[in-house]
């Protein structure tokens, strides 16, 4: 396992730069599927972090029942008001699937983020499984976060092979997948009884779930671990002020923006750089505000300073 270093990130940015004669479509079109009644902020945080991290265009898909509220906070992003059943308009459901399927097929989407603030609503769980099957077979890059992780969690047994049952059921899986669980989400994902085992053996659990399922895993916490099963990295910067609501939403937005704007990099590389930029942004915010008062919006406000550290 290797530590992510400033020099490593600097070398990446020295060899990767934005051409002068380009437009927004050269830096990717991200679709973020997020939000539910009472969880309006998750998608807003993710989409704003995504724009701050280099994405050319971001479409934020939210249930129709919360779309007007979301629009009050959105300037640069596109808000998709996704239809759903009338009595269920604050949550995604089967009706939402057809709308988003058509949108993805019609637009040149670079990457899909799914999960922030979706809720554990039973109809939303069904929607998540349905659209993930479509996305996995369609071949898009996917970041599976938060409630989307909960939706595909193993419900009946602990699998010692660390195989995610839902993903193993998918035929012709073509996508480049990233999952971003914290300890509790990981515990649910594989139905593990004791969360302390995961904390003590986080390197093993992160590396092996990635290897068994052919994906990239970020196991979040102090000294976040990133692995594709073959290469494994640990982040050693960041601070305890980042242990607060919305930080995970910001993280997936940063990673998505980096992956879309630097098209040729792998999901592992985007995850590694994104985790580092996220932590560095948190440290920049801490320098201004201290740890206790730190909130997720402060990290977004300091993403630009993190990039400027590398002369970007």
């Amino acid at each position: 396992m290797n530590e992510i270093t400033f020099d490593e990130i600097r070398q990446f940015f020295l060899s990767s730069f934005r051409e002068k004669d380009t437009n927004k479509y050269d830096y990717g079109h991200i679709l973020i599927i997020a939000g539910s009644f009472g969880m309006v902020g998750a998608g807003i945080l993710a989409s704003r972090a995504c724009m701050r991290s280099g994405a050319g265009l971001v479409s934020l898909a939210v249930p129709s029942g919360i779309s007007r509220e979301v629009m009050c906070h959105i300037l640069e992003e596109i808000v998709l008001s996704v239809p759903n059943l009338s009595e269920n308009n604050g949550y995604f459901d089967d009706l939402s699937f057809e709308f988003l399927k058509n949108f993805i097929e019609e637009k040149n989407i670079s990457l899909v983020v799914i999960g922030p603030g979706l809720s554990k609503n039973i109809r939303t769980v069904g929607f998540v499984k349905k659209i993930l099957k479509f996305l996995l077979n369609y071949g898009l890059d996917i970041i599976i976060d938060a409630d989307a992780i909960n939706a595909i969690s193993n419900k009946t047994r602990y699998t010692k092979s660390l195989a995610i049952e839902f993903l193993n059921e998918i035929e012709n899986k073509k996508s480049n997948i990233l999952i971003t669980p914290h300890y509790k989400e990981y515990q649910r994902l594989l139905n593990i009884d004791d969360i302390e085992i995961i904390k003590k053996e986080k390197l093993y659990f992160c590396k092996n779930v990635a290897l068994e399922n052919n994906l990239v895993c970020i196991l979040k916490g102090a000294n976040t671990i990133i692995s594709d099963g073959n290469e494994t990295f640990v982040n050693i910067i960041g601070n305890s002020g980042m242990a607060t609501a919305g930080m995970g939403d910001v993280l997936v937005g940063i990673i998505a923006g980096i992956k879309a704007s630097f098209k040729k990099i792998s999901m592992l590389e985007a995850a590694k750089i994104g985790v580092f930029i996220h932590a560095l942004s948190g440290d920049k915010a801490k320098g201004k505000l201290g740890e206790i008062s730190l909130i997720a919006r402060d990290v977004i406000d300091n993403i630009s300073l993190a990039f400027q550290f590398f002369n970007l």
Side-chain angles (χ1 to χ4, degrees), residues 107-289:
K107 304 294 182 180
N108 186 24
I109 301 297
S110 309
L111 181 151
V112 175
V113 175
I114 182 167
L118 288 183
S119 85
K120 299 180 183 67
N121 179 282
I122 189 167
R123 289 179 174 171
T124 301
V125 169
F127 157 80
V128 169
K129 291 181 176 180
K130 197 169 184 178
I131 199 162
L132 276 178
K133 285 182 180 179
F134 165 72
L135 292 170
L136 288 162
N137 287 318
Y138 198 73
L140 284 173
D141 291 342
I142 309 172
I143 300 177
I144 305 174
D145 181 52
D147 283 325
I149 295 174
N150 294 328
I152 64 170
S153 294
N154 296 341
K155 303 298 182 185
T156 57
R157 63 184 177 86
Y158 164 55
T159 170
K160 291 184 179 179
S161 69
L162 300 180
I164 299 170
E165 292 171 1
F166 175 83
L167 296 180
N168 284 354
E169 295 170 2
I170 307 297
E171 295 181 5
N172 305 317
K173 186 171 67 178
K174 302 172 187 174
S175 298
N176 196 4
I177 307 167
L178 170 66
I179 59 171
T180 60
H182 53 57
Y183 296 131
K184 189 67 177 177
E185 289 165 345
Y186 193 106
Q187 182 186 22
R188 293 191 200 106
L189 182 66
L190 292 169
N191 200 11
I192 297 171
D193 290 334
D194 187 358
I195 197 171
E196 295 303 320
I197 294 173
I198 303 169
K199 291 179 180 179
K200 290 177 183 176
E201 300 293 339
K202 61 184 180 180
L203 173 60
Y204 166 82
F205 281 104
C206 184
K207 178 179 178 179
N208 284 277
V209 78
L211 187 64
E212 288 287 337
N213 297 280
N214 191 28
L215 49 76
V216 177
C217 178
I218 294 174
L219 186 50
K220 297 182 293 192
N223 297 333
T224 290
I225 307 292
I226 308 106
S227 182
D228 66 354
N230 296 306
E231 294 184 89
T232 303
F233 301 90
V234 60
N235 174 62
I236 60 169
I237 66 170
N239 62 83
S240 64
M242 300 176 73
T244 188
M247 286 294 175
D249 307 321
V250 175
L251 174 62
V252 293
I254 292 172
I255 295 168
I258 289 169
K259 181 68 175 71
S261 57
F262 297 101
K263 291 183 174 62
K264 295 181 180 179
I265 65 173
S266 68
M267 188 67 87
L268 176 66
E269 193 77 6
K272 184 172 62 171
I273 296 164
V275 165
F276 192 88
I277 292 293
H278 180 249
L280 182 57
S281 303
D283 283 344
K284 295 290 185 184
K286 173 190 170 182
K288 299 175 182 178
L289 303 168

Side-chain angles (χ1 to χ4, degrees), residues 6 9-10 13 49 51-54 237 254 273 276-289 294 297-312:
F6 283 91
I9 304 301
R10 183 181 288 110
F13 286 127
M51 291 294 294
R52 282 290 188 192
S53 301
I237 66 170
I254 292 172
I273 296 164
F276 192 88
I277 292 293
H278 180 249
L280 182 57
S281 303
D283 283 344
K284 295 290 185 184
K286 173 190 170 182
K288 299 175 182 178
L289 303 168
L294 202 62
R297 278 175 285 171
D298 300 325
V299 174
I300 296 173
D301 290 343
N302 284 275
I303 291 172
S304 58
L305 292 182
F307 281 116
Q308 283 177 3
F309 186 86
F310 300 103
N311 297 318
L312 298 172

